[in-house]
Amino acid sequence: MDDLRDKYIQLIADAGDEAALEGLRVQAVGKKGEISLQMRGLGKMTPEERQVMGPKLNALKDEINSALAARKAALGDAALEERLRGEWLDVTLPARDRRQGTIHPISQTREEVTAIFAELGFSVAEGPQIDSDWYNFDALNIPGHHPARAEMDTFYMHRAAGDNRPPHVLRTHTSPVQIRTMEKEGAPIRIIAPGRVYRADYDQTHTPMFHQVEGLAIDRDISMAQLKWTLEEFLRSFFEVEAVELRFRASHFPFTEPSAEVDIRCSWEGGQLKVGEGDDWLEILGSGMVHPNVLKAGGTDPNVWQGFAFGIGIDRIAMLKYGIPDLRAFFDSDLRWLRHYGFAALEQPNLHGGLSR
Ligand code: PHE
């Protein structure tokens, strides 16, 4: 019994980890362990032998159990020590820089656009991203059967079975804000309405969610010439180059008459997009004189008031200005991309400081 005791005390002292210790526990005092088997042998002994051996075996078992527990505690302490050494951290070190986020190029662009139009006397209006089909289509002179509805790749909201009202839509453009502003403010009006819009489309220059800024100016004597001047002035300021070259293309929108789309001269060389040079044209906005039916829908008398409206793709002009070749990257939330293209926080764009320092 002394040999048994010496053997296990030594093995326990040498055990390097908890798994080895558990192996020894099973081997010594587990159900079929060496000491347990000896204890089972007590039954075959004479009462006298049993009286001597019983307490001795019990004492041995207790000794082994407490040796196991002591060793286990020691191993635990050592492991904790080891971890504390390894995971040591100096909390007095200065914070890492570059922990601050950056302003997303879309937010930056939106602020720049707002700053420029603010100087021209336009204030900011807003509308909901989920809108009724009346605001998104009908009020804008796009009746139910009109092909423009299909062309816009509209996302429709769900209606409960049996509810036959027309479904709400994710707005396909910011133009419904024209109607809402007319209803709310009445003429004269001079607003821009930046925000998110949605269409089911996806490639290098299209994403299902993108951004537009609507412009609306209504007064008694607003003309197409003023629309043209306003857009030229805006684009020159925005791109911070005198050489911005625009192409006004006769076009059609149900909510403007006449209508013009505006393309900007650019080059795409080597995947790099540059404004003001090259032989390519990129469409960046739609515009025109507000259709009398739209004025009427907004409660504005077309015999007294007239106006111009435009819708600019914010993401498009951000790509152009900052040389970002793929629109989809805007919405990937890739930190490396955001650090590369993002802007320092707290630097508000304004015209007197230079828009994009
Ligand atoms: N709403 C149009 C679009 O999404 C743009 C536009 C706005 C055109 C205002 C004319 C006037 O394409």
Side-chain angles (χ1 to χ4, degrees), residues 21 67 84 94-95 124 126 129 168 181 206 208-209 218 225 234 252-253 257 266 274 287 289 300 305 328 341 347-348:
L21 218 48
L84 286 173
V124 172
E126 278 186 314
Q129 293 176 43
H168 276 58
T181 309
H206 297 87
M209 185 282 295
I218 294 179
F234 162 70
H252 173 80
F253 297 103
E257 181 60 37
C266 66
K274 278 212 188 100
S287 65
M289 298 303 291
T300 308
W305 305 99
R328 292 168 295 195
Y341 286 109
E347 281 201 359
Q348 292 289 327

mmCIF file of all heavy atoms in Angstrom, residues 21 67 84 94-95 124 126 129 168 181 206 208-209 218 225 234 252-253 257 266 274 287 289 300 305 328 341 347-348:
data_model
loop_
_atom_site.group_PDB
_atom_site.id
_atom_site.type_symbol
_atom_site.label_atom_id
_atom_site.label_comp_id
_atom_site.label_asym_id
_atom_site.label_seq_id
_atom_site.Cartn_x
_atom_site.Cartn_y
_atom_site.Cartn_z
ATOM 1 N N LEU A 21 -3.908 14.954 -15.123
ATOM 2 C CA LEU A 21 -4.406 14.789 -13.760
ATOM 3 C C LEU A 21 -5.690 13.954 -13.730
ATOM 4 O O LEU A 21 -5.866 13.057 -12.906
ATOM 5 C CB LEU A 21 -4.674 16.176 -13.182
ATOM 6 C CG LEU A 21 -4.344 16.443 -11.728
ATOM 7 C CD1 LEU A 21 -2.962 15.960 -11.353
ATOM 8 C CD2 LEU A 21 -4.480 17.932 -11.447
ATOM 9 N N ALA A 67 -4.384 15.196 -2.869
ATOM 10 C CA ALA A 67 -3.208 15.497 -3.697
ATOM 11 C C ALA A 67 -3.648 15.933 -5.095
ATOM 12 O O ALA A 67 -3.118 16.894 -5.664
ATOM 13 C CB ALA A 67 -2.300 14.271 -3.789
ATOM 14 N N LEU A 84 -2.012 35.904 -17.617
ATOM 15 C CA LEU A 84 -1.831 37.299 -17.222
ATOM 16 C C LEU A 84 -0.548 37.860 -17.813
ATOM 17 O O LEU A 84 -0.489 39.009 -18.235
ATOM 18 C CB LEU A 84 -1.808 37.425 -15.694
ATOM 19 C CG LEU A 84 -3.169 37.259 -15.019
ATOM 20 C CD1 LEU A 84 -3.024 37.225 -13.512
ATOM 21 C CD2 LEU A 84 -4.098 38.400 -15.435
ATOM 22 N N PRO A 94 -0.835 55.853 -25.023
ATOM 23 C CA PRO A 94 -1.751 56.769 -25.717
ATOM 24 C C PRO A 94 -2.646 55.985 -26.687
ATOM 25 O O PRO A 94 -2.235 54.952 -27.207
ATOM 26 C CB PRO A 94 -0.813 57.710 -26.478
ATOM 27 C CG PRO A 94 0.516 57.049 -26.486
ATOM 28 C CD PRO A 94 0.573 56.122 -25.317
ATOM 29 N N ALA A 95 -3.874 56.467 -26.931
ATOM 30 C CA ALA A 95 -4.805 55.795 -27.837
ATOM 31 C C ALA A 95 -4.214 55.736 -29.237
ATOM 32 O O ALA A 95 -3.446 56.612 -29.633
ATOM 33 C CB ALA A 95 -6.129 56.551 -27.859
ATOM 34 N N VAL A 124 -33.393 73.298 -47.844
ATOM 35 C CA VAL A 124 -33.483 71.838 -47.969
ATOM 36 C C VAL A 124 -34.861 71.341 -47.544
ATOM 37 O O VAL A 124 -35.344 71.694 -46.472
ATOM 38 C CB VAL A 124 -32.395 71.154 -47.117
ATOM 39 C CG1 VAL A 124 -32.598 69.643 -47.091
ATOM 40 C CG2 VAL A 124 -31.007 71.494 -47.673
ATOM 41 N N GLU A 126 -37.547 67.712 -47.394
ATOM 42 C CA GLU A 126 -37.438 66.255 -47.305
ATOM 43 C C GLU A 126 -38.793 65.591 -47.521
ATOM 44 O O GLU A 126 -39.830 66.211 -47.342
ATOM 45 C CB GLU A 126 -36.914 65.859 -45.920
ATOM 46 C CG GLU A 126 -35.420 65.958 -45.808
ATOM 47 C CD GLU A 126 -34.917 65.431 -44.480
ATOM 48 O OE1 GLU A 126 -35.509 65.782 -43.444
ATOM 49 O OE2 GLU A 126 -33.939 64.676 -44.489
ATOM 50 N N GLN A 129 -39.165 57.966 -47.696
ATOM 51 C CA GLN A 129 -38.598 57.030 -48.679
ATOM 52 C C GLN A 129 -39.629 56.002 -49.125
ATOM 53 O O GLN A 129 -39.551 55.463 -50.209
ATOM 54 C CB GLN A 129 -37.365 56.341 -48.088
ATOM 55 C CG GLN A 129 -36.225 57.332 -47.869
ATOM 56 C CD GLN A 129 -35.028 56.720 -47.196
ATOM 57 O OE1 GLN A 129 -34.611 55.619 -47.526
ATOM 58 N NE2 GLN A 129 -34.479 57.414 -46.228
ATOM 59 N N HIS A 168 -47.958 50.904 -51.694
ATOM 60 C CA HIS A 168 -46.955 51.944 -51.574
ATOM 61 C C HIS A 168 -45.694 51.474 -52.297
ATOM 62 O O HIS A 168 -45.536 50.291 -52.583
ATOM 63 C CB HIS A 168 -46.642 52.221 -50.105
ATOM 64 C CG HIS A 168 -47.615 53.169 -49.468
ATOM 65 N ND1 HIS A 168 -48.963 52.920 -49.430
ATOM 66 C CD2 HIS A 168 -47.434 54.362 -48.843
ATOM 67 C CE1 HIS A 168 -49.581 53.931 -48.817
ATOM 68 N NE2 HIS A 168 -48.666 54.821 -48.444
ATOM 69 N N THR A 181 -43.777 69.602 -51.163
ATOM 70 C CA THR A 181 -43.364 70.955 -50.805
ATOM 71 C C THR A 181 -44.396 71.975 -51.275
ATOM 72 O O THR A 181 -44.716 72.922 -50.557
ATOM 73 C CB THR A 181 -41.982 71.275 -51.405
ATOM 74 O OG1 THR A 181 -41.090 70.223 -51.054
ATOM 75 C CG2 THR A 181 -41.443 72.586 -50.880
ATOM 76 N N HIS A 206 -25.052 51.233 -61.399
ATOM 77 C CA HIS A 206 -26.393 51.208 -60.807
ATOM 78 C C HIS A 206 -26.421 50.331 -59.563
ATOM 79 O O HIS A 206 -25.885 49.224 -59.559
ATOM 80 C CB HIS A 206 -27.420 50.656 -61.801
ATOM 81 C CG HIS A 206 -27.582 51.499 -63.021
ATOM 82 N ND1 HIS A 206 -26.785 51.344 -64.135
ATOM 83 C CD2 HIS A 206 -28.434 52.513 -63.297
ATOM 84 C CE1 HIS A 206 -27.154 52.236 -65.051
ATOM 85 N NE2 HIS A 206 -28.143 52.958 -64.570
ATOM 86 N N PRO A 208 -29.373 49.185 -56.299
ATOM 87 C CA PRO A 208 -30.821 49.251 -56.011
ATOM 88 C C PRO A 208 -31.193 50.432 -55.112
ATOM 89 O O PRO A 208 -32.315 50.893 -55.139
ATOM 90 C CB PRO A 208 -31.134 47.925 -55.324
ATOM 91 C CG PRO A 208 -29.864 47.157 -55.239
ATOM 92 C CD PRO A 208 -28.777 47.891 -55.947
ATOM 93 N N MET A 209 -30.243 50.907 -54.309
ATOM 94 C CA MET A 209 -30.479 52.138 -53.553
ATOM 95 C C MET A 209 -29.426 53.122 -54.027
ATOM 96 O O MET A 209 -28.257 52.747 -54.146
ATOM 97 C CB MET A 209 -30.338 51.885 -52.051
ATOM 98 C CG MET A 209 -30.690 53.064 -51.168
ATOM 99 S SD MET A 209 -29.412 54.309 -51.068
ATOM 100 C CE MET A 209 -28.100 53.419 -50.263
ATOM 101 N N ILE A 218 -40.053 77.733 -58.085
ATOM 102 C CA ILE A 218 -41.341 78.175 -58.627
ATOM 103 C C ILE A 218 -41.528 79.649 -58.298
ATOM 104 O O ILE A 218 -41.324 80.069 -57.158
ATOM 105 C CB ILE A 218 -42.506 77.352 -58.037
ATOM 106 C CG1 ILE A 218 -42.397 75.903 -58.498
ATOM 107 C CG2 ILE A 218 -43.854 77.942 -58.462
ATOM 108 C CD1 ILE A 218 -43.470 75.000 -57.958
ATOM 109 N N ALA A 225 -33.971 79.569 -69.229
ATOM 110 C CA ALA A 225 -32.638 80.183 -69.196
ATOM 111 C C ALA A 225 -32.096 80.177 -67.774
ATOM 112 O O ALA A 225 -30.907 79.926 -67.536
ATOM 113 C CB ALA A 225 -32.703 81.610 -69.735
ATOM 114 N N PHE A 234 -23.957 75.660 -60.681
ATOM 115 C CA PHE A 234 -23.784 74.600 -59.690
ATOM 116 C C PHE A 234 -22.637 73.668 -60.076
ATOM 117 O O PHE A 234 -21.754 73.368 -59.252
ATOM 118 C CB PHE A 234 -25.079 73.790 -59.534
ATOM 119 C CG PHE A 234 -24.835 72.464 -58.873
ATOM 120 C CD1 PHE A 234 -24.493 72.397 -57.526
ATOM 121 C CD2 PHE A 234 -24.889 71.279 -59.602
ATOM 122 C CE1 PHE A 234 -24.218 71.174 -56.911
ATOM 123 C CE2 PHE A 234 -24.613 70.055 -59.000
ATOM 124 C CZ PHE A 234 -24.281 70.013 -57.653
ATOM 125 N N HIS A 252 -37.440 63.628 -72.555
ATOM 126 C CA HIS A 252 -38.833 63.608 -72.134
ATOM 127 C C HIS A 252 -38.987 63.087 -70.716
ATOM 128 O O HIS A 252 -38.451 62.032 -70.375
ATOM 129 C CB HIS A 252 -39.676 62.733 -73.068
ATOM 130 C CG HIS A 252 -41.066 62.563 -72.558
ATOM 131 N ND1 HIS A 252 -42.043 63.521 -72.712
ATOM 132 C CD2 HIS A 252 -41.631 61.578 -71.836
ATOM 133 C CE1 HIS A 252 -43.142 63.126 -72.118
ATOM 134 N NE2 HIS A 252 -42.938 61.941 -71.578
ATOM 135 N N PHE A 253 -39.655 63.853 -69.896
ATOM 136 C CA PHE A 253 -40.146 63.368 -68.602
ATOM 137 C C PHE A 253 -41.616 63.759 -68.523
ATOM 138 O O PHE A 253 -41.973 64.850 -68.972
ATOM 139 C CB PHE A 253 -39.394 64.031 -67.431
ATOM 140 C CG PHE A 253 -37.923 63.728 -67.396
ATOM 141 C CD1 PHE A 253 -36.993 64.676 -67.819
ATOM 142 C CD2 PHE A 253 -37.457 62.492 -66.947
ATOM 143 C CE1 PHE A 253 -35.634 64.406 -67.796
ATOM 144 C CE2 PHE A 253 -36.092 62.217 -66.922
ATOM 145 C CZ PHE A 253 -35.184 63.166 -67.354
ATOM 146 N N GLU A 257 -42.027 69.929 -69.048
ATOM 147 C CA GLU A 257 -42.252 70.228 -70.464
ATOM 148 C C GLU A 257 -41.847 71.675 -70.727
ATOM 149 O O GLU A 257 -42.466 72.573 -70.168
ATOM 150 C CB GLU A 257 -43.724 70.000 -70.815
ATOM 151 C CG GLU A 257 -44.058 70.257 -72.259
ATOM 152 C CD GLU A 257 -43.281 69.371 -73.228
ATOM 153 O OE1 GLU A 257 -43.057 68.193 -72.890
ATOM 154 O OE2 GLU A 257 -42.876 69.867 -74.284
ATOM 155 N N CYS A 266 -16.369 63.886 -70.034
ATOM 156 C CA CYS A 266 -15.444 63.185 -69.150
ATOM 157 C C CYS A 266 -14.630 62.160 -69.923
ATOM 158 O O CYS A 266 -14.891 61.906 -71.092
ATOM 159 C CB CYS A 266 -16.211 62.478 -68.023
ATOM 160 S SG CYS A 266 -17.263 61.147 -68.623
ATOM 161 N N LYS A 274 -12.378 61.175 -65.366
ATOM 162 C CA LYS A 274 -11.965 62.575 -65.218
ATOM 163 C C LYS A 274 -12.976 63.500 -65.860
ATOM 164 O O LYS A 274 -13.456 63.254 -66.951
ATOM 165 C CB LYS A 274 -10.585 62.785 -65.858
ATOM 166 C CG LYS A 274 -9.432 62.377 -64.980
ATOM 167 C CD LYS A 274 -8.191 63.262 -65.248
ATOM 168 C CE LYS A 274 -6.971 62.730 -64.518
ATOM 169 N NZ LYS A 274 -6.072 61.946 -65.395
ATOM 170 N N SER A 287 -33.929 67.330 -66.190
ATOM 171 C CA SER A 287 -34.466 68.633 -65.779
ATOM 172 C C SER A 287 -35.535 69.096 -66.751
ATOM 173 O O SER A 287 -35.800 68.450 -67.774
ATOM 174 C CB SER A 287 -33.330 69.662 -65.755
ATOM 175 O OG SER A 287 -32.829 69.849 -67.076
ATOM 176 N N MET A 289 -38.989 72.313 -67.395
ATOM 177 C CA MET A 289 -39.965 73.238 -66.809
ATOM 178 C C MET A 289 -41.116 72.406 -66.237
ATOM 179 O O MET A 289 -41.633 71.508 -66.918
ATOM 180 C CB MET A 289 -40.487 74.204 -67.882
ATOM 181 C CG MET A 289 -39.397 75.091 -68.498
ATOM 182 S SD MET A 289 -38.504 76.085 -67.280
ATOM 183 C CE MET A 289 -39.779 77.242 -66.773
ATOM 184 N N THR A 300 -50.974 74.285 -56.987
ATOM 185 C CA THR A 300 -50.390 75.557 -57.432
ATOM 186 C C THR A 300 -51.036 75.950 -58.762
ATOM 187 O O THR A 300 -51.101 75.124 -59.677
ATOM 188 C CB THR A 300 -48.863 75.389 -57.619
ATOM 189 O OG1 THR A 300 -48.321 74.835 -56.422
ATOM 190 C CG2 THR A 300 -48.193 76.717 -57.910
ATOM 191 N N TRP A 305 -48.260 80.683 -61.737
ATOM 192 C CA TRP A 305 -46.911 80.245 -61.380
ATOM 193 C C TRP A 305 -46.301 79.334 -62.443
ATOM 194 O O TRP A 305 -47.005 78.581 -63.105
ATOM 195 C CB TRP A 305 -46.929 79.470 -60.052
ATOM 196 C CG TRP A 305 -47.563 80.236 -58.924
ATOM 197 C CD1 TRP A 305 -48.839 80.096 -58.476
ATOM 198 C CD2 TRP A 305 -46.956 81.260 -58.145
ATOM 199 N NE1 TRP A 305 -49.070 80.963 -57.446
ATOM 200 C CE2 TRP A 305 -47.935 81.689 -57.214
ATOM 201 C CE3 TRP A 305 -45.700 81.874 -58.130
ATOM 202 C CZ2 TRP A 305 -47.687 82.701 -56.277
ATOM 203 C CZ3 TRP A 305 -45.454 82.862 -57.193
ATOM 204 C CH2 TRP A 305 -46.437 83.270 -56.284
ATOM 205 N N ARG A 328 -20.826 50.409 -56.857
ATOM 206 C CA ARG A 328 -21.188 49.405 -55.854
ATOM 207 C C ARG A 328 -20.296 49.494 -54.612
ATOM 208 O O ARG A 328 -20.736 49.193 -53.508
ATOM 209 C CB ARG A 328 -21.123 48.008 -56.467
ATOM 210 C CG ARG A 328 -22.224 47.810 -57.508
ATOM 211 C CD ARG A 328 -22.008 46.576 -58.332
ATOM 212 N NE ARG A 328 -20.805 46.660 -59.165
ATOM 213 C CZ ARG A 328 -20.549 45.853 -60.179
ATOM 214 N NH1 ARG A 328 -21.397 44.895 -60.479
ATOM 215 N NH2 ARG A 328 -19.448 45.987 -60.879
ATOM 216 N N TYR A 341 -11.224 56.700 -49.362
ATOM 217 C CA TYR A 341 -12.065 57.702 -50.019
ATOM 218 C C TYR A 341 -12.797 58.619 -49.042
ATOM 219 O O TYR A 341 -13.386 59.619 -49.445
ATOM 220 C CB TYR A 341 -13.094 57.018 -50.927
ATOM 221 C CG TYR A 341 -12.496 56.470 -52.203
ATOM 222 C CD1 TYR A 341 -12.355 55.100 -52.409
ATOM 223 C CD2 TYR A 341 -12.067 57.339 -53.215
ATOM 224 C CE1 TYR A 341 -11.808 54.590 -53.573
ATOM 225 C CE2 TYR A 341 -11.521 56.843 -54.387
ATOM 226 C CZ TYR A 341 -11.391 55.473 -54.567
ATOM 227 O OH TYR A 341 -10.858 54.984 -55.721
ATOM 228 N N GLU A 347 -14.870 68.630 -40.924
ATOM 229 C CA GLU A 347 -14.533 69.616 -41.951
ATOM 230 C C GLU A 347 -15.753 69.865 -42.810
ATOM 231 O O GLU A 347 -15.972 69.206 -43.804
ATOM 232 C CB GLU A 347 -13.350 69.138 -42.802
ATOM 233 C CG GLU A 347 -12.037 69.343 -42.092
ATOM 234 C CD GLU A 347 -10.850 69.372 -43.028
ATOM 235 O OE1 GLU A 347 -11.040 69.205 -44.253
ATOM 236 O OE2 GLU A 347 -9.744 69.555 -42.524
ATOM 237 N N GLN A 348 -16.558 70.801 -42.402
ATOM 238 C CA GLN A 348 -17.783 71.105 -43.130
ATOM 239 C C GLN A 348 -17.458 71.763 -44.466
ATOM 240 O O GLN A 348 -16.737 72.750 -44.497
ATOM 241 C CB GLN A 348 -18.643 72.055 -42.297
ATOM 242 C CG GLN A 348 -19.198 71.416 -41.048
ATOM 243 C CD GLN A 348 -20.277 70.397 -41.365
ATOM 244 O OE1 GLN A 348 -21.020 70.554 -42.330
ATOM 245 N NE2 GLN A 348 -20.350 69.344 -40.577
#
